[in-house]
Amino acid sequence: MNELAVQRNAVIELMRISPVADQLAARFAAAGHRLYLVGGSVRDALLGRLSPDLDFTTDARPDQVLAVVAGWADAVWDVGIAFGTVGVTKDGSQLEITTFRADSYDQVSRNPEVTFGDSIDGDLLRRDFTCNAMAIELPSKSFVDPHGGLDAVRLKVLDTPATPQESFSDDPLRMLRAARFVSQLGFEPAPRVVEAMTSMAGEIRRITAERVQAELSKLLTGAHPRLGLELLVDTGLADHVLPEVPGMRLAIDEHHQHKDVYQHSLTVLDQAIGLERKEDPDAEPDLVLRLAALLHDIGKPATRKFEDGGGVSFHHHEVVGAKMARKRLRELKYSKEIVEQVSQLVFLHLRFHGYGKGEWTDSAVRRYVTDAGPLLSRLHKLVRADCTTRNKRKAAALQRTYDDLEARIDRIAAAEDLAKVRPDLDGNEIMKLLGLPPGPLVGQAWKFLKELRLDRGPLEHDEAVAELRRWAAEQGIAGPDQGTPG
């Protein structure tokens, strides 16, 4: 199929699913303004990734855009109007309409000094990558591609309309966006883009942590996160935004061999994603699992110790790694929930290796489940993904052992409802039996009974009461009918 046919088919298909674009174009034309479908909407149509969310650009100024959509749009929002963007919803589609831009940047922060432009060519020149610098003029539906964006999409090459140095100097966030598009689209960056990213990596420090985090999250939840991460590490960008990852590239001593921790971690990430997709091919990407897989061994460099005889140990690297993961994710402004979930998975990822050939007691199995809590399904995937040995016999043995652990969890859970492990007596019963008011002593008694429940499984009510009274006597706490200890 020739180039014109590809363009025409993409445009026809996009318009077929988005009739609101024709309606909007008619309103702009009637008001004497030009309108173009632009950027990611066009790129995704060419890639067969159709979406009801569309981006437009126009010569109309923001107040004129508001006048054009008044009475037609189902809803309008103007939070981006200072940057020339008006948001619109219509018939289930979300539209963003932005006035032609000719921004300049202050070269200190990434904040643009907004200047509105007058031509589509000028607008496309200021866009981040050529694959996003294509437009469809409406209502004529003619294709506008002054920077070879169609070829970039066809060849899966990531390049910039202006020079990469100009583009990244204007907005260093674009360097992270390059890695994100590599992950999401599987594109390969042009050599000049890689060169500019490498020489300008330090400029990323101008970007806020919130914006960095947003791009990293999109990268990690893309289809090819390993490619995006490798680009960040190879160009030196990761040294500034996620230094623990390149920090795992440990020099291997010829007398003390161990796995390359960096490459191992990328392989664990790949395998975790494979397990995620195997469980549910249509599920949304699991950011928590992917972060945990990437960061599970970041404590190894700080804990590496060369042993006599050529061995290498990483004692307590899961403890150190959990603290490091928590610190880094907080600095990147991740939510408290994500920080705690990822750091807990890093902390627990090594626990299974004490299972041996099934030596754990039922109490140990209960504790494994209880400590994992709602993260248990993710922990299962992380532990299985962490097996990267090339020894097929060893790998199969590890997987069989974990199969056995999961089967034991299922058996015990069926009998005891492990998801809701609670003491056999609740707080009200504890207070009544011991004559205590609400306070720390009740919490201590509750914790004692929970530990007992984990160790011995469910207790009969009378047995739980007897154990509580025994514990209370040891603590010098008298029940309501036992007088005051002398």
Side-chain angles (χ1 to χ4, degrees), residues 3-283:
E3 188 172 301
L4 289 176
V6 170
Q7 295 173 8
R8 184 164 52 251
N9 288 349
V11 172
I12 289 171
E13 179 63 12
L14 189 61
M15 293 304 173
R16 181 185 68 77
I17 67 162
S18 303
V20 294
D22 277 333
Q23 297 173 27
L24 189 63
R27 295 182 70 88
F28 272 82
H33 299 298
R34 287 171 286 162
L35 184 72
Y36 298 81
L37 189 67
V38 72
S41 298
V42 179
R43 178 202 70 220
D44 287 347
L46 292 170
L47 290 170
R49 295 154 49 103
L50 302 175
S51 169
D53 300 337
L54 303 175
D55 296 325
F56 299 87
T57 189
T58 179
D59 61 343
R61 294 324 193 228
D63 58 335
Q64 295 172 317
V65 173
L66 289 172
V68 170
V69 300
W72 174 78
D74 296 330
V76 176
W77 66 97
D78 60 3
V79 292
I81 202 165
F83 299 99
T85 298
V86 174
V88 170
T89 56
K90 177 67 176 180
D91 296 340
S93 292
Q94 183 169 302
L95 320 175
E96 287 196 353
I97 307 162
T98 303
T99 301
F100 290 157
R101 297 271 288 275
D103 296 344
S104 60
Y105 287 74
D106 62 13
Q107 304 298 313
V108 175
S109 72
R110 70 168 300 275
N111 297 322
E113 300 168 357
V114 177
T115 305
F116 296 133
D118 297 306
S119 71
I120 185 63
D121 286 346
D123 181 90
L124 295 179
L125 179 63
R126 59 156 288 279
R127 291 183 178 265
D128 52 4
F129 300 106
T130 57
C131 63
N132 297 326
M134 299 175 284
I136 298 168
E137 186 174 12
L138 302 174
S140 68
K141 299 184 176 63
S142 57
F143 206 79
V144 182
D145 184 19
H147 303 291
L150 185 65
D151 281 341
V153 171
R154 180 173 57 83
L155 298 173
K156 293 194 170 185
V157 171
L158 199 65
D159 206 346
T160 53
T163 68
Q165 287 78 10
E166 290 176 279
S167 182
F168 299 156
S169 180
D170 275 350
D171 185 0
L173 185 68
R174 290 172 173 173
M175 294 187 286
L176 280 185
R177 284 170 62 84
R180 189 244 289 186
F181 282 127
V182 167
S183 171
Q184 288 181 327
L185 305 176
F187 281 25
E188 182 175 349
R192 69 173 192 159
V193 169
V194 176
E195 181 181 347
M197 290 172 68
T198 303
S199 63
M200 300 176 68
E203 293 296 305
I204 201 65
R205 293 193 296 265
R206 290 162 45 191
I207 307 302
T208 65
E210 290 84 355
R211 296 304 307 279
V212 169
Q213 179 243 100
E215 290 299 327
L216 283 175
S217 295
K218 291 174 183 177
L219 184 161
L220 284 168
T221 53
H224 314 281
R226 181 173 188 152
L227 297 179
L229 289 165
E230 287 176 333
L231 179 61
L232 289 184
V233 171
D234 292 345
T235 57
L237 273 164
D239 292 334
H240 303 284
V241 299
L242 202 58
E244 294 80 4
V245 173
M248 290 188 285
R249 294 182 298 181
L250 299 176
I252 307 299
D253 186 283
E254 62 177 325
H255 302 296
H256 297 82
Q257 294 295 321
H258 59 79
K259 290 180 181 177
D260 182 302
V261 182
Y262 167 65
Q263 290 296 332
H264 164 74
S265 297
L266 293 180
T267 300
V268 172
L269 174 62
D270 283 341
Q271 294 185 167
I273 292 170
L275 293 171
E276 176 188 314
R277 291 171 177 163
K278 181 179 179 181
E279 181 177 81
D280 185 352
D282 299 320

Side-chain angles (χ1 to χ4, degrees), residues 56 124 230 235 275 280-281 290 307 347 350 381 385-386 395 402 410 416:
F56 299 87
L124 295 179
E230 287 176 333
T235 57
L275 293 171
D280 185 352
R290 296 181 184 202
E307 305 287 357
F347 177 70
L350 212 59
K381 296 185 188 74
D386 195 23
Y402 206 82
D410 289 342
E416 302 179 15

Side-chain angles (χ1 to χ4, degrees), residues 413-441:
E416 302 179 15
D417 195 6
L418 284 181
K420 299 179 180 178
V421 170
R422 296 287 186 274
D424 296 283
L425 305 174
D426 64 22
N428 289 327
E429 289 179 284
I430 292 170
M431 288 188 288
K432 182 178 178 180
L433 287 164
L434 300 184
L436 293 174
L441 284 175

Side-chain angles (χ1 to χ4, degrees), residues 348-482:
L348 291 175
H349 84 273
L350 212 59
R351 179 83 62 86
F352 160 71
H353 294 283
Y355 187 73
K357 295 182 179 180
E359 289 92 347
W360 277 4
T361 62
D362 284 355
S363 171
V365 175
R366 290 189 198 99
R367 290 181 184 279
Y368 187 74
V369 173
T370 302
D371 288 348
L375 298 172
L376 184 61
S377 176
R378 286 174 168 136
L379 183 59
H380 288 335
K381 296 185 188 74
L382 177 59
V383 172
R384 289 184 182 277
D386 195 23
C387 175
T388 61
T389 178
R390 295 181 182 178
N391 184 321
K392 292 183 178 180
R393 182 176 297 178
K394 183 178 178 181
L398 282 170
Q399 296 299 338
R400 283 195 304 271
T401 303
Y402 206 82
D403 288 342
D404 180 71
L405 174 57
E406 285 202 60
R408 285 186 66 189
I409 289 172
D410 289 342
R411 287 196 302 272
I412 297 172
E416 302 179 15
D417 195 6
L418 284 181
K420 299 179 180 178
V421 170
R422 296 287 186 274
D424 296 283
L425 305 174
D426 64 22
N428 289 327
E429 289 179 284
I430 292 170
M431 288 188 288
K432 182 178 178 180
L433 287 164
L434 300 184
L436 293 174
L441 284 175
V442 178
Q444 293 173 27
W446 190 94
K447 184 177 180 181
F448 162 74
L449 289 172
K450 182 175 179 180
E451 291 295 315
L452 198 65
R453 170 76 164 75
L454 288 170
D455 283 337
R456 290 164 49 177
L459 303 180
E460 294 292 336
H461 183 269
D462 289 347
E463 186 180 4
V465 170
E467 291 289 352
L468 175 64
R469 291 195 184 281
R470 181 184 60 77
W471 173 85
E474 291 173 355
Q475 306 301 313
I477 301 169
D481 57 351
Q482 298 177 40

